Amino acid sequence: MDKVFTSGNHCIAEAAIRAGCRCYFGYPITPQNELGEYMAANMRKVGGVFLQSESETAAINMVIGAASTGTRVMTSSSSPGVSLKQEGLSFLAGFEFPAVIVNMMRGGPGLGNIAPAQGDYFQSTRGGGHGDYRTPVLAPASVQELADLTVKAFELADTYRTPILLLGDGMMGQMKEPVVFPKPITDLPEKPWALKGRGEGASRYQASLILDGLAMERHNWKLVRKYKEMAEKETLCELYMMDDADFAVVAYGTTARIAKGAIKRARKEGFKVGLVRPVTLFPFPDKILQKVAYQVKNFLVFEMSTGQMLEDVKLALGGNQVEVEFHGRPGGVIPTPIEFSRVIHRYYRRMLK
Amino acid sequence: MDKVFTSGNHCIAEAAIRAGCRCYFGYPITPQNELGEYMAANMRKVGGVFLQSESETAAINMVIGAASTGTRVMTSSSSPGVSLKQEGLSFLAGFEFPAVIVNMMRGGPGLGNIAPAQGDYFQSTRGGGHGDYRTPVLAPASVQELADLTVKAFELADTYRTPILLLGDGMMGQMKEPVVFPKPITDLPEKPWALKGRGEGASRYQASLILDGLAMERHNWKLVRKYKEMAEKETLCELYMMDDADFAVVAYGTTARIAKGAIKRARKEGFKVGLVRPVTLFPFPDKILQKVAYQVKNFLVFEMSTGQMLEDVKLALGGNQVEVEFHGRPGGVIPTPIEFSRVIHRYYRRMLK
Amino acid sequence: MSKKDKVFTVKVRRDFCKGCGLCIEFCKKEVLGVSAKLNRMGYNPAEPVKPEACIGCMMCAQVCPDMAIEVYSG
Amino acid sequence: MSKKDKVFTVKVRRDFCKGCGLCIEFCKKEVLGVSAKLNRMGYNPAEPVKPEACIGCMMCAQVCPDMAIEVYSG
Amino acid sequence: MIVKTLCAGSGGQGVMTLANIMGNAAMFQGFHSTYLPAYGAAMRGGTANCTLTIADEEIASPVASAPDIVVALNQPSAVVFINRLVPGGKLIYDSSVAEEIPERLDIDVFSIPASDIAIELGGVRSANMVMLGAFAKLAGVPSHEAIFTSLEYLMGKKKKLVEISRQAVIRGTEYFS
Amino acid sequence: MIVKTLCAGSGGQGVMTLANIMGNAAMFQGFHSTYLPAYGAAMRGGTANCTLTIADEEIASPVASAPDIVVALNQPSAVVFINRLVPGGKLIYDSSVAEEIPERLDIDVFSIPASDIAIELGGVRSANMVMLGAFAKLAGVPSHEAIFTSLEYLMGKKKKLVEISRQAVIRGTEYFS
Amino acid sequence: MELINNWPKYYKKDVVSHYCPGCGHGIVHRIVAELLEEMDLGKQAYLVCPAGCAVLAYNYFDFDVIESAHGRGTAIATGAKRAKPGLFVISYQGDGDLSAIGTAETIHSANRGENICVVFINNAVYGMTGGQMAPTSLIGQSTTTSPVGRNPEVDGYPLHITDVVANFPGVTYAERVSVSSPAAIKKTKKAIRNAFQTQVEGLGYSIVEVLSPCPTNWKMTPVQSCKWIDEEMVKEYKPGLLTDRREERRKEKS
Amino acid sequence: MELINNWPKYYKKDVVSHYCPGCGHGIVHRIVAELLEEMDLGKQAYLVCPAGCAVLAYNYFDFDVIESAHGRGTAIATGAKRAKPGLFVISYQGDGDLSAIGTAETIHSANRGENICVVFINNAVYGMTGGQMAPTSLIGQSTTTSPVGRNPEVDGYPLHITDVVANFPGVTYAERVSVSSPAAIKKTKKAIRNAFQTQVEGLGYSIVEVLSPCPTNWKMTPVQSCKWIDEEMVKEYKPGLLTDRREERRKEKS
Ligand SMILES: Cc1ncc(C[n+]2csc(CCOP(=O)(O)OP(=O)(O)O)c2C)c(N)n1
Ligand SMILES: Cc1ncc(C[n+]2csc(CCOP(=O)(O)OP(=O)(O)O)c2C)c(N)n1
Ligand code: SF4
Ligand code: SF4
Ligand code: SF4
Ligand code: SF4
C-alpha cells in the first residue's frame, strides 16, 4: 500500500524531502505550523538541516545562503510572514537562486485571521518585493497535487534558476487526503554556478548590486526572457467539464475545489458549465483561456479575494469579445458549493437572456 | 520672493512639515537620504519628532504607533527598504490609518543600483503586502508637484483613512527646481477614531486580528468601496499636447518628463503625438484613457521597467479596439529624450502604414 | 473588629472558572475542591468544600487567572 | 646576514596611492613624504623622500589601506 | 455515493482520531476521502471538530455546509451542530454524556451510551471508538476490515490499544444491528 | 531658448555650488531651471558632476545626453565629458589645472586660467566662481544681477565670501569680453 | 457581605478570557488592570498587545489598546509615545514576539531608553501557534519543533534578553518575576508597579519579565506548571531585580 | 631586490579599491586575504559582504563571495554553513548593517553559536549612505542625522553590540581591536586569526569588532581619524579580548 492519508502541510514537507530538499528554514505561523514541525521531526533523520529562524526575514536569507551553495532548500510561511520575505524574494530572484517558498495564505490584510483566503495573489504573481522580477507560482488544489507540485517546484527552480512559490491556504494545508508520494529523488542536477569555495579553480561571486545601469537592464530583460520561456513550456491548467461548456468558471486552489462542487450541482440543473483551473498562476495560462474563448463567451472568476486573478483573466481575454464576471468571498470566508452554485445559476440565466 | 530652488527630497520634507506632519521615522537609503537629513535638521525645530529607526521595518511600525494617535506622520525609503515595509503597509491599510510613505525607487531587484527606475509599480499599486488592500499612489513629475502632492497625500490620507504612497525615483529626489511652497497648514482635521487614552469616555481599540471571517470580509469590501470612491473623486491625470493628437504616449513621473522632451522633438517632425500622464497610479485614470481612446487608437507605454503600468493601460483599454505598445528601460538606465523620440518615430510610422 | 475576628466567605463564579485547580492548590486552609458537575464551558469548576475554614487570605483570588474567585467579608 | 645589516628599499605604487598620508605619519624614520605631482586618480601620492633611512620595519605597509607600499630587501 | 460527516467533541475526546481512522479506512477500501479539521483559535476553549467526506468519486469540496451525518461526542457539539444537518440527515450522539438534544423533526437521531460502553471495556478513552463503530454502521461505509486495517496502521505497535479499539468499534456497530 | 550644461570637477572644487548658484540665479531672473547632480557611488573617488538646464519654457527632461556646454574644473572632467557635447557645443575648462584637452573639431573650446585668477583674488577655492562667470558669459544667461542676488541668497551672512565670489565672477565674465 | 476583591475598573465587565486553564496571561492581565486603577493611569493608558496568545487582550482591557504585528510592539509603542508623550504606553509581549522576531525592536527601543513600559510574558514556548520552541525554551525542553528536546548544538542556547537590555544605560528598571505562587504574584505586581512608576516620572525604559505557565503546550497541569517554573525555569532565568536606575535618573532630572 | 610584502594570494591582482583615502576597510581586507593565505583557507572560503561601503568587496577578494541584503549577513552565513559545513564562512559587516537593521540576525546567530566568523567594522557612522548616525555613533558626535550631535535623550545611547554577544554561551571568541596604528593593526590580525582558528576547529561563533576610520564622513584627515579612534572612540569602545572560550570548547569536544 503506497497510499497514505495525510495532511497538506505534512505532505509538502515529505514531498520536499523526497525531492532532495536538505535545508528548511522557517518561523511558525498558522496555518502552516505542521509543515515546519514535520521538518523538525524528519529532516535531521535524512542528514538535512531544520532550523527555526528568529524571523521570516532571517529565514528567507538563510534560504539565500543555502541556495547559494547549490543545496535544495525550502521555507514556508503564511501571509504576514511572507510579506516579511519580500525583500529576500527580490534578492533570490535577482541572484537567480533556486528555492521553494510556500505560502499558506490566510485572511488579511494585517493580522487578519487564519482561515483560508486568496488575498495574496497579487503579491505572489506580481512580485511583492521591489524591482523587475516575478516569481513563478504553483497553486495546487488537492493533497496529491501538493505532493506532485512540490517536487515540480524544486525541478523548475533548478531548471530555471528561480525561486518558486507554492501557493495554498489553510484548507489546503490542514485537509487530509490519500496521497501517493513520488520516489525519493537521488540524482540532483549539477549546479556549476554554486558557491562551494573556489578550490583549485577561479574565485566566483554572486553580486546583487549591479551599479552599471546597462548591465542591470540586461539582467532584467534576461529575467523577462526566462519568464517567457516558462510561459511557453511550463504553463499548467486544468479544464474540467469544459468539452461542451458554454459558460466557464475560472478558479484556482481551494476555490476551484468549491467550484467543482458547484459545477456538479449546476450540471444537474442542465447548465453547461465548466471550470478553467490555472495551476500555474504565473505564468498565467493566457493562451488556454484565449482558446476557451472561441467556445465560451461568458466567464465567471471566483476567488476568495476582492478580485485579483480577475485582472489576469481580463488581461488574457482583453482582445476577445467576452463577458468576465466576478464573485469574491475575501477575508477568510469559506464559501460553500451551494452558495456558489446559486451564483452560477444567476449569471447563467442572465447569459441565456 | 517665495520661490526656492530646491531638491526633490528636501522639498518633500519641507512640504510635509508645512502639511502638519509632526513625526518622521526612517532609515537611510540612497537615493532619498536627504529627506531624512532635512527632517533631522528641521523637524525638532517645529516641535516635531525625527527618529532614525533601527530598520525600515521598525520605521513603518513606529508610523503605525504615531498614526494611531492621530498624528500626521511620514516615512520614506527606497525600493529594498520599501519591501521591508510591506507587512506594516498591510497593517496600516487594514487599520485604516492615515500615513504617507515615500518610495524613491532605484534599480532592482535585489540591491540593484541607485539610479532612477520604476520597477516598483506593481508593488506600489497592487499592495506588495498580504491580503486584500491597496495603497493609493501619487506619482509627481516635478519638484513643484512633489510639494503639492505631498500636501495632497496628507489630506487624502486623513480624508480616506489610508496610507498613501508617494512614488518617485532618484531623479525626482535629487533634482532641483524652483518651488513655491504652500502655506503651513494649521487647521488639521479632527480624528475621533484616534487612540488618545480613553479619558472620561469609553475605551477603544484598534484590532488587526479579525477572527470572524464575515467581519473580515465586510472590512475588505469596505476597503474596496473606499478605493472606488477615491477612483471617482481623486483620480488625477495630465494630458499634454493631446488636443489634436492621434498617437498617445502613456508615462508617469520621470519617464513622463523624458517623454515630454521626446514629444517636443516628435512634434517638430510633424507627428501628432501627445502624452497621457497618470498622476495617481492607483486609482488609475481608466476613464480618462478610455475617453482618449475615442480619439486615439495607438498608445505607447513608456516605463523605466520591463512593463508594469502597461498592465493597467491594457486593463483600462481592454474593451476598446486599440493598439498598446511598450518601450521599457528597466534597471536604472535613464533613457534620453532623443532615444525615446526615435522610438515614437518608429511606432508612429508603423501606425501610418 | 480585628481581621482575625472577621468572617470571610469565598465564592466561585462557576461559569468563569476553567478548573485549573490553582486556587485549590494554593489555599492553605483547603477551603476549595473540585465540583463534580461541569460548568457551561465544559470544565469542572472549583467550589468551596470547607467554606467555614476561609480566613480571607486571598491566596486563591491572587492565583486565579480568570477572576473567578470572589471573597466576601462579613 | 642579520636583519640589521640588510638594506631595504621602499617604493610607492603611485597609481594605487590615495595620498591618505598614513604611511608618512607612521614611518618613524620619516622615509616618506608627499609627492607634488598628482597621480592618475588625482591624488598627491606618497613618495620616499629619505629612501636611505628605511629600516624595513614595514609600518608603512601595515597601515596602508591600499596596498600601495612595496618594501624590498637587498 | 458521497457522505459528509461532521465529528465534534471536546478537546481530549479523540474526535480527530476518530475521523482520521475513518478517513484512512475509507482510503484503504478504495474510496475517496477527505478530512478537514477546524484549527487555530477555533480550537481553544476545549472544542474540536472536523469534517470527513467519503465518496466513490472525486471529492470536490472537503467542506460540509450541510453534513449528512453529525457525530457528537458531547452535549455542546450536538446542540451546536444539529442545525447544520441536511434534512433527512443523521445525528449520532453519546447519550452517556449528552442529555438534552434539541428537537428537529426532519432528521434521524441516534443515541448510544458510548462512554458507558467504553468504561465497561476498560476506559472512557475509547468512547470515540464506540462512536466510530456506530457511525460506520449508520453510514454504511467503510467496512470493518478497512477500519481494522486502519486501526492497525495508525496505532501500529500499541497492540493493546488496537485490541481495545477493535472491541469498542464492534460494540458500537452491534448497538445498531 | 534652452541651454543644457554639464559641470564637472573633483570633489572639493565646488562644482555643485557653481551649478546651484546658476540654477538659483536663473530662477531669480524668471527662467525655468533644473539641476541634477550625479549621486551615490558615482561620487566616490573624488569626481563630481551635475547637469544644469536653463530655459525660457517648461523643461522636459533635466538630463543632458548631449549638453550644449561643458564646464570642466579639472583635466579628467574635460577629457571624459568633451565627447558628450553636441556638435557646435562649447567646452570651458580651467587651464590652470588642465593641460591636455583631446581634440574635437566640431565644438568651440574656451580656456581660462581660473585657478590662477582665483589665487590672485585670495584663494584657489573661488576658482569655481571664476568659471561661473566665464560660463555665464558664454551661455548668455543668467544676468549679473541675478547671479549676485543668488550669491547673496545662498551665502547670506558670509559677507566676505560673497564679495570675493562677486569679484571672481566678474573676472570670469571679463575674461571673455 | 462585602466583596473584597472588586472587579478591576479597567478590566471589561464579566468577560471570560480565551486563555487556557491555568494560563499566566490572565494573572498578569489582572495585575495590569489593577495597577492602572490604583495608580490612576487608565485614562491615558495605551497598551500594545502582541501577536501571540494575548492578541485578544483588547477584549479584556477596558482602556485604549492597539494590536501589533508580531514582534513590533516596542516600535509601535515608540511611535505612539513620541507622538503623544502624554500617553501612558505599555507594550505587552510574549517571548517569541519580544525575543525572536522582535529582537531588533526590543534591543533598540531599550537602548534608546524610550519612556515606555514593557511587560514581557516568558512562557518558554510559542503559545499561540501551538507550542514551538522559542528562543527562551530551556535546554532539553521538548516542543513541537524541538521534538527530542532543545539541543544547544543545533538549536542554540536559551536567550536571556532581559539581562541583555538590563545592561543598557537607557534602561531604568528591569526585573524578572514569576506568577507561580501567590507570593511570586505579589512580587510581580510590585515590579510592574515600579515599572509603571518609572514611566510616570519620565525616567525612561522599564521592563518586567514574567515567568508564566503555559500548561497546554508544556503538557502539564496548571499546578505542575507552577512547580516546573519554580524548579526548572528559575534555574535558567533567575528571578530578581536586574536594574534599578530610578534614583540616578531622578537626580539627573532634577 | 626581493619584494617582502607580496601581494596577497587571495586579493585580486592590481585592483585599486573604491574606498576613500585612509579608510579602514582596505586594511582589514588585506588582513583577511593574508590570513586566508597563511591559514590555507582560501579554497573553501565563503565570504558574505554587506550592503555598506564594503558592498563591492568581491571586486577585491579572490575567493568566493556573496552579497547580502542590508543586515542579513549572518543569516546568509548561517544558511550556507549549515548547508555546507565544509565551507569556511565569514560575514563581513559594518556597524549599521550589524547593529541596526541586522540586530536580530546578529543576536540570534551568535546565540545559536553558529560556527562562523564575523568581521565587524565599526566606523561609528553609516559610511555608504553618506554619514548618518549609527547605533554606534558616540554621544555628541555630529552626523547628517544628528546635526547637533548625538543626544542620548532623543537618539539613544551608543550600542555595544559586541559586548552583548560576548556574553552569550554560544560565542566562543570575541575581541575588539582597531586599525589606528601599526601596533593596533598587528593585534587586529592576531584577533582575526584567532577567530578564524575558532571556526577551523569547529568551536563555534567568533566575532572581531574593528574600530575603523571613516575620514570622509568624520570630516577629518586620515591621520586625525586615527587619533580620534585612539582618543575618543576607545573611551566608549574599549579594545581588548571580550570572550575566549576556545579552551573550554576544545575540552567539551574531546
Ligand atoms: C509575521 C508573523 N509571523 C508569525 C506569526 C505567527 N505567530 C503569532 S503569535 C506567534 C508566537 C507567539 O509566541 P509568544 O510571543 O511567545 O507568545 P505566547 O503566545 O506564548 O503568549 C507566532 C509565531 C505572525 N502572526 N506574524
Ligand atoms: C534594506 C536596506 N536599507 C537600507 C539600505 C541602504 N544602506 C546601504 S549600506 C547602509 C549603511 C552602511 O553603514 P554600515 O553598515 O555602518 O557600513 P559602512 O558603509 O559604514 O562600512 C545603508 C543604510 C539598503 N541597501 N537596504
Ligand atoms: S484558580 Fe480560578 S480558574 Fe482556576 S480553578 Fe480556581 S477559580 Fe477556577
Ligand atoms: S598609506 Fe598607502 S595610500 Fe596612504 S599615502 Fe601611504 S602609500 Fe598612499
Ligand atoms: S497556549 Fe499557553 S500561553 Fe496560550 S493561552 Fe494557553 S496556556 Fe496561555
Ligand atoms: S565612506 Fe568611509 S568607510 Fe566608506 S569607504 Fe569612505 S572612508 Fe571608508
Side-chain angles (χ1 to χ4, degrees), chain G residues 102-211:
Chain G
T103 306
E105 286 77 6
T106 301
I107 296 277
H108 285 276
S109 59
N111 191 58
R112 283 192 306 264
E114 296 294 339
N115 195 25
I116 58 172
C117 302
V118 177
V119 176
F120 168 28
I121 308 296
N122 181 357
N123 60 12
V125 283
Y126 289 63
M128 153 145 277
T129 43
Q132 292 83 6
M133 189 182 78
T136 48
S137 297
L138 302 193
I139 291 177
Q141 185 179 344
S142 70
T143 68
T144 59
T145 50
S146 60
V148 295
R150 182 182 191 150
N151 172 1
E153 290 291 310
V154 287
D155 302 319
Y157 294 83
L159 182 66
H160 292 228
I161 187 98
T162 312
D163 298 86
V164 167
V165 302
N167 282 326
F168 293 165
V171 173
T172 302
Y173 191 86
E175 183 160 359
R176 186 182 290 116
V177 293
S178 99
V179 288
S180 53
S181 69
I185 290 168
K186 222 167 158 184
K187 277 193 200 146
T188 298
K189 187 162 177 183
K190 195 170 147 233
I192 298 181
R193 184 193 300 277
N194 288 343
F196 283 9
Q197 188 57 32
T198 304
Q199 182 177 164
V200 169
E201 294 181 41
L203 305 177
Y205 189 95
S206 57
I207 179 168
V208 177
E209 173 177 342
V210 184
L211 307 182

Side-chain angles (χ1 to χ4, degrees), chain A residues 27-30 56 80-81 84 106 111, chain B residues 87, chain G residues 25 51-54 70 93-98 101 121 123 125-129 134:
Chain A
Y27 189 82
I29 184 167
T30 313
E56 291 86 351
L84 291 173
R106 49 190 253 180
L111 220 40
Chain B
E87 191 204 20
Chain G
H25 278 298
C53 283
H70 190 33
Q93 303 186 249
D95 49 324
D97 194 77
L98 182 140
I101 193 169
I121 308 296
N123 60 12
V125 283
Y126 289 63
M128 153 145 277
T129 43

Side-chain angles (χ1 to χ4, degrees), chain D residues 8-9 13 15-16 18 20 22 25-26 41 43 58-59 61-67 69-74, chain H residues 1-5 7-8 11 14-17 19 21-23 26-27 30 180-182 185 222-223 226-227:
Chain D
F8 293 92
T9 314
R13 311 158 124 238
D15 287 327
F16 281 66
K18 294 178 186 150
C20 70
L22 289 174
E25 171 77 11
F26 287 106
M41 289 191 289
Y43 297 113
M58 302 286 286
M59 292 297 163
Q62 291 267 355
V63 293
C64 176
D66 287 282
M67 303 209 280
I69 299 268
E70 290 181 334
V71 185
Y72 292 86
S73 94
Chain H
M1 261 188 359
E2 191 202 345
L3 184 60
I4 315 183
N5 59 337
W7 194 267
Y11 200 99
D14 291 337
V15 286
V16 179
S17 80
Y19 298 111
C23 171
I27 301 173
R30 190 190 66 227
S180 53
S181 69
I185 290 168
V223 172
C226 288
K227 293 231 167 77

Side-chain angles (χ1 to χ4, degrees), chain F residues 76-101:
Chain F
S77 304
V79 174
V80 171
F81 294 114
I82 191 171
N83 300 316
R84 292 261 293 269
L85 273 170
V86 276
K90 296 170 185 168
L91 169 73
I92 318 168
Y93 72 94
D94 181 349
S95 56
S96 322
V97 297
E99 287 155 22
E100 294 155 72
I101 301 296

Side-chain angles (χ1 to χ4, degrees), chain H residues 27-44:
Chain H
I27 301 173
V28 182
H29 279 26
R30 190 190 66 227
I31 291 174
V32 168
E34 283 172 359
L35 284 171
L36 292 181
E37 184 175 353
E38 292 167 21
M39 299 173 79
D40 195 17
L41 292 168
K43 288 177 200 155
Q44 63 264 40

